[in-house]
Amino acid sequence: MTSVTEVALPSYMSPEKTSLSLSYADESDSSSVDAVIFAGASLVVGTACRQLFNGTRVPYTVVLLVIGIVLGSLEYGSGHSLGKIGHGIRIWNDINPDLLLAVFLPALLFESSFSMDVHQIKRCLGQMVLLAGPGVLISTFWIGSLLKLTFPYNWDWKTSLLLGALLGATDPVAVVALLKELGASKKMTTIIDGESLMNDGVSVVVFQLFLKMVMGSTSDWSFIIKFLAQNSFGAVGIGVAFGIASVFWLRFVFNDIVVQITVTLSVSYFAYYTAQEWAEVSGILTVMTLGMFFAAFARTAFKGDSQQSLHHFWEMVAYIANTLVFILSGVIIAEGDFSSRKISYEGTSWGFLFLLYLHVQLSRCVMVGVLYPLLRRFGYGLDWKESIILTWSGLRGAVSLSLALSVKQSSGNSYISSETGTRFLFFTGGIVFLTLVVNGSTTQFLLHLLRMDTLTATKKRILEYTKFEMMNTAFKAFENLGDDEELGSADWHTVIGHIPSLKNLQGEQVNPHDGCEAGNVDPTNIMDIRIRFLNGVQAAYWEMLDDGRITKGTANVLMQSVDEALDLVSTESLCDWRGLKPCVHFPKYYKFLQSRIIPRKLVSYLIVERLESACYVSSAFLRAHRIARHQLHGFLGNSHIASIVINESELEGEEAKQFLEDVRHSFPQVLSVLRTRQVTHYVLDHLNGYIKNLEKVGLLQGKEVCHLHDAVQSDLKKLLRNPPLLKLPNANDLITTNPLLRPL
């Protein structure tokens, strides 16, 4: 997409800002390195604030915004420069708004969309599209109409709608940061997070459309439809194309976390640049699509330590970018206020700013209210409490500020006056500040007021029961030290006195589901246990993937079946096997094997590979359920409600056992090859651990470790890329010896 500044005339700069910039530029100690000093100082201040305000009701992002406003006010409004920090502030503040978006947005958007649950995305996609499509248009036209009818600036409809589109974008940077801090439910986080990502991309496209119209471009319906379709569908196509290419690349990367992380980072920026600058479509929608594609098809490409390292890396990138973005947003707001003193000193301007804030909140209410009947019917639905949170969480942030800066740079001509550009920045900065400070700081209180942050009675009983289990575990750990010469003489009561988390346990340990006897089972309790059981099953699948017991493709199928079963725990018994049934069966075309003209490779693909995949699924399902049953019984004992879920699990496993038995009888070679692969992978993983342990205790040194580690890794790579294959018997012998394949 052509940058907004490219359609504008030379940027306008106020006399005050020009004189201050020139005077400061003449100072001998000024240097571009000061920009790095400001970034470093911002991270130090941000880290200190994160630590100080951790556990309070004040969101970290709001504190950063206020700090940015204070720094900007001191630099631009006090008449005294802040030295090198001040020069760094000016360098960052003068950055091109398109460059500002290109530096921070790709990483933040990719991290947010990649971390989303793909199953939740599928279920909530209808709600997200409603809010980001019709919702953006409703918000844009509502704000634009109110601006035209209630503000005294004689703006035409195009200019009013331009500001409406600019303020219609809920900033994903601000929204996601807030939701992560407040710990909102997974469902609400997915809807609001996904809506803000899509909303942002659509709003920028609508903003670009109105900016072109304001700057004199044609505005007939064919142009509008073509522009919107090209930017929307083109962006999605580019995101999918980059996703396919990068996932294909990652298939050839083996246990190299540096390469894996570099691929994810570089592809997010390259996709954004390709879409924004080369294809001239929405870079935001492109990166959002890319991140969701990774979430759907590349999550199992990162296993064990690689997955943890990737998660920590992107978490760190998001933290650094968020810190700099919100402090810079505060600086931009302060600079915009002081560079437009004529406007900011007018009492009416502040009055109209608060009126605009009310218009923005009202537009959000109207949008959610109009779409509420549909939002209730799509996905997981939406109740009235969640609709209130959805309405109140429409925060604005760095994206809106960057767009306002673009309008200001485009002003000073016959299309947009300098005063209009300055007012755009003043109003946008004020709305960003008010939504972050007012809405952002009160969302947690609103969640508490609506009782959406409280634990259910079932969860409270589980929590209390777990504390007693922790006490028992702590006492066993203490007893195990009894024979230790150095630590065995400690006093238990003294030790437990230094563990405040285990104090004040009143009464005796009571099973959280006592009283749930036959015929008296609370549906909420059994739903809670089913969720915990299925979470345990999914965790077992991840462990099996790390151990090499299942392939990445098999893991995706298994985890999807658990996600689908989690949606039905309130109405049905455990049903994750239902989603696996289509993958586990004997192909119905065995009779064609009687023909001698069938190529051997085709027989291998149609029978052996299909059966191997089905055996992987069945054996992994049985093992994961066996592990989850053992963990549930070990945690809750012989409670009636745990027995119900365990019986449901055992009943589900009957079909899987029968299938494996049929394969064992008909194609024993398949199971033999399967076990050979799994055991080989297990032995090689064990050798890796053995080498790491020898290095840890100092018995092996650098070059020795590298030599042995590379040898084992080479064997693992060969195993995954050229696994043991089944030697097929002669087709006639296969049909003769197998009763299932004989003609009727």
Side-chain angles (χ1 to χ4, degrees), residues 289-393:
T289 304
L290 174 66
M292 290 185 177
F293 189 92
F294 262 79
F297 298 103
R299 189 172 297 279
T300 54
F302 310 98
K303 302 184 297 181
D305 294 339
S306 296
Q307 186 184 49
Q308 190 174 14
S309 299
L310 183 74
H311 171 74
H312 289 323
F313 169 80
W314 278 106
E315 193 177 54
M316 189 66 191
V317 168
Y319 165 72
I320 293 174
N322 271 321
T323 301
L324 293 176
V325 162
F326 282 100
I327 290 181
L328 279 174
S329 297
V331 169
I332 292 171
I333 291 173
E335 191 276 334
D337 185 33
F338 284 105
S339 67
S340 55
R341 296 186 181 184
K342 179 181 177 182
I343 293 175
S344 60
Y345 285 173
E346 295 176 1
T348 56
S349 295
W350 291 97
F352 282 114
L353 171 61
F354 288 106
L355 178 62
L356 180 58
Y357 173 75
L358 295 178
H359 288 341
V360 169
Q361 299 306 316
L362 185 59
S363 72
R364 187 79 177 170
C365 292
V366 170
M367 180 193 71
V368 175
V370 169
L371 299 177
Y372 183 68
L374 294 175
L375 293 173
R376 291 183 60 186
R377 288 170 173 78
F378 286 127
Y380 293 108
L382 196 75
D383 59 34
W384 66 272
K385 291 183 179 180
E386 292 167 337
S387 65
I388 292 175
I389 298 299
L390 182 63
T391 302
W392 197 244
S393 60

Side-chain angles (χ1 to χ4, degrees), residues 257-537:
I257 186 59
V258 174
V259 172
Q260 290 173 327
I261 290 177
T262 304
V263 168
T264 59
L265 180 64
S266 59
V267 75
S268 63
Y269 278 92
F270 192 49
Y272 182 89
Y273 173 81
T274 301
Q276 195 80 15
E277 302 298 330
W278 178 71
E280 298 186 359
V281 298
S282 173
I284 295 175
L285 288 177
T286 297
V287 177
M288 181 205 72
T289 304
L290 174 66
M292 290 185 177
F293 189 92
F294 262 79
F297 298 103
R299 189 172 297 279
T300 54
F302 310 98
K303 302 184 297 181
D305 294 339
S306 296
Q307 186 184 49
Q308 190 174 14
S309 299
L310 183 74
H311 171 74
H312 289 323
F313 169 80
W314 278 106
E315 193 177 54
M316 189 66 191
V317 168
Y319 165 72
I320 293 174
N322 271 321
T323 301
L324 293 176
V325 162
F326 282 100
I327 290 181
L328 279 174
S329 297
V331 169
I332 292 171
I333 291 173
E335 191 276 334
D337 185 33
F338 284 105
S339 67
S340 55
R341 296 186 181 184
K342 179 181 177 182
I343 293 175
S344 60
Y345 285 173
E346 295 176 1
T348 56
S349 295
W350 291 97
F352 282 114
L353 171 61
F354 288 106
L355 178 62
L356 180 58
Y357 173 75
L358 295 178
H359 288 341
V360 169
Q361 299 306 316
L362 185 59
S363 72
R364 187 79 177 170
C365 292
V366 170
M367 180 193 71
V368 175
V370 169
L371 299 177
Y372 183 68
L374 294 175
L375 293 173
R376 291 183 60 186
R377 288 170 173 78
F378 286 127
Y380 293 108
L382 196 75
D383 59 34
W384 66 272
K385 291 183 179 180
E386 292 167 337
S387 65
I388 292 175
I389 298 299
L390 182 63
T391 302
W392 197 244
S393 60
L395 309 184
R396 275 66 176 177
V399 175
S400 297
L401 279 173
S402 297
L403 297 179
L405 283 171
S406 298
V407 173
K408 185 178 179 181
Q409 289 187 353
S410 304
S411 63
N413 51 69
S414 59
Y415 300 108
I416 304 176
S417 66
S418 300
E419 183 180 353
T420 298
T422 304
R423 288 191 186 278
F424 266 52
L425 183 59
F426 172 77
F427 285 134
T428 303
I431 294 300
V432 169
F433 175 79
L434 290 173
T435 55
L436 283 172
V437 172
V438 178
N439 298 51
S441 60
T442 57
T443 301
Q444 188 174 27
F445 171 76
L446 190 59
L447 285 169
H448 181 72
L449 186 66
L450 297 173
R451 302 184 65 82
M452 296 179 68
D453 61 345
T454 57
L455 294 174
T456 63
T458 302
K459 292 184 182 295
K460 288 180 180 178
R461 290 197 298 269
I462 288 284
L463 187 62
E464 195 66 21
Y465 176 80
T466 306
K467 287 183 178 180
F468 278 101
E469 285 293 300
M470 290 169 61
M471 175 67 81
N472 296 334
T473 302
F475 186 69
K476 289 178 182 178
F478 176 80
E479 286 185 326
N480 292 336
L481 294 174
D483 297 330
D484 192 289
E485 295 181 0
E486 297 179 1
L487 305 177
S489 59
D491 177 66
W492 166 248
H493 295 289
T494 304
V495 171
I496 202 65
H498 292 281
I499 309 178
S501 60
L502 297 181
K503 288 183 178 180
N504 303 321
L505 291 178
Q506 300 178 355
E508 298 181 355
Q509 183 176 10
V510 179
N511 190 291
H513 300 294
D514 278 354
C516 299
E517 304 302 332
N520 187 33
V521 177
D522 184 354
T524 304
N525 290 342
I526 196 168
M527 180 182 73
D528 179 78
I529 296 302
R530 285 172 183 157
I531 291 174
R532 296 176 191 276
F533 183 88
L534 289 172
N535 286 336
V537 170

Side-chain angles (χ1 to χ4, degrees), residues 80-293:
H80 302 284
S81 69
L82 298 178
K84 289 185 174 294
I85 296 292
H87 185 234
I89 288 175
R90 292 178 180 273
I91 293 175
W92 279 96
N93 186 64
D94 291 338
I95 191 173
N96 184 286
D98 293 324
L99 180 59
L100 186 67
L101 293 178
V103 169
F104 293 111
L105 271 189
L108 288 168
L109 293 173
F110 182 85
E111 188 272 339
S112 179
S113 53
F114 180 49
S115 62
M116 294 175 70
D117 186 283
V118 64
H119 181 71
Q120 297 272 340
I121 294 174
K122 290 178 181 178
R123 289 298 304 271
C124 300
L125 187 61
Q127 295 165 307
M128 290 155 55
V129 170
L130 272 176
L131 292 167
V136 166
L137 297 179
I138 292 172
S139 180
T140 297
F141 282 96
W142 185 271
I143 296 174
S145 299
L146 291 177
L147 284 169
K148 176 64 177 175
L149 297 175
T150 61
F151 277 49
Y153 302 125
N154 295 320
W155 291 339
D156 58 21
W157 278 102
K158 293 178 182 179
T159 304
S160 300
L161 290 172
L162 177 63
L163 184 55
L166 193 155
L167 295 176
T170 55
D171 187 15
V173 179
V175 175
V176 173
L178 178 68
L179 291 175
K180 287 182 178 179
E181 279 193 80
L182 299 182
S185 69
K186 195 173 183 180
K187 167 190 167 183
M188 281 302 300
T189 301
T190 301
I191 294 175
I192 298 175
D193 191 359
E195 181 246 340
S196 67
L197 288 169
M198 290 186 177
N199 178 314
D200 205 48
V202 174
S203 294
V204 172
V205 171
V206 175
F207 169 83
Q208 292 281 354
L209 173 63
F210 282 116
L211 182 61
K212 286 179 178 291
M213 293 167 62
V214 169
M215 301 301 292
S217 297
T218 180
S219 57
D220 57 89
W221 282 106
S222 60
F223 168 78
I224 294 174
I225 294 173
K226 179 183 177 181
F227 183 85
L228 294 177
Q230 176 183 336
N231 278 275
S232 301
F233 296 110
V236 172
I238 293 175
V240 171
F242 272 92
I244 293 173
S246 52
V247 170
F248 181 76
W249 186 357
L250 287 173
R251 290 181 59 186
F252 296 94
V253 179
F254 181 76
N255 284 357
D256 194 334
I257 186 59
V258 174
V259 172
Q260 290 173 327
I261 290 177
T262 304
V263 168
T264 59
L265 180 64
S266 59
V267 75
S268 63
Y269 278 92
F270 192 49
Y272 182 89
Y273 173 81
T274 301
Q276 195 80 15
E277 302 298 330
W278 178 71
E280 298 186 359
V281 298
S282 173
I284 295 175
L285 288 177
T286 297
V287 177
M288 181 205 72
T289 304
L290 174 66
M292 290 185 177
F293 189 92

Side-chain angles (χ1 to χ4, degrees), residues 662-677:
D662 291 341
V663 174
R664 185 178 292 109
H665 182 266
S666 305
F667 296 94
Q669 305 94 332
V670 173
L671 291 179
S672 175
V673 170
L674 209 65
R675 291 189 179 118
T676 300
R677 293 180 188 175

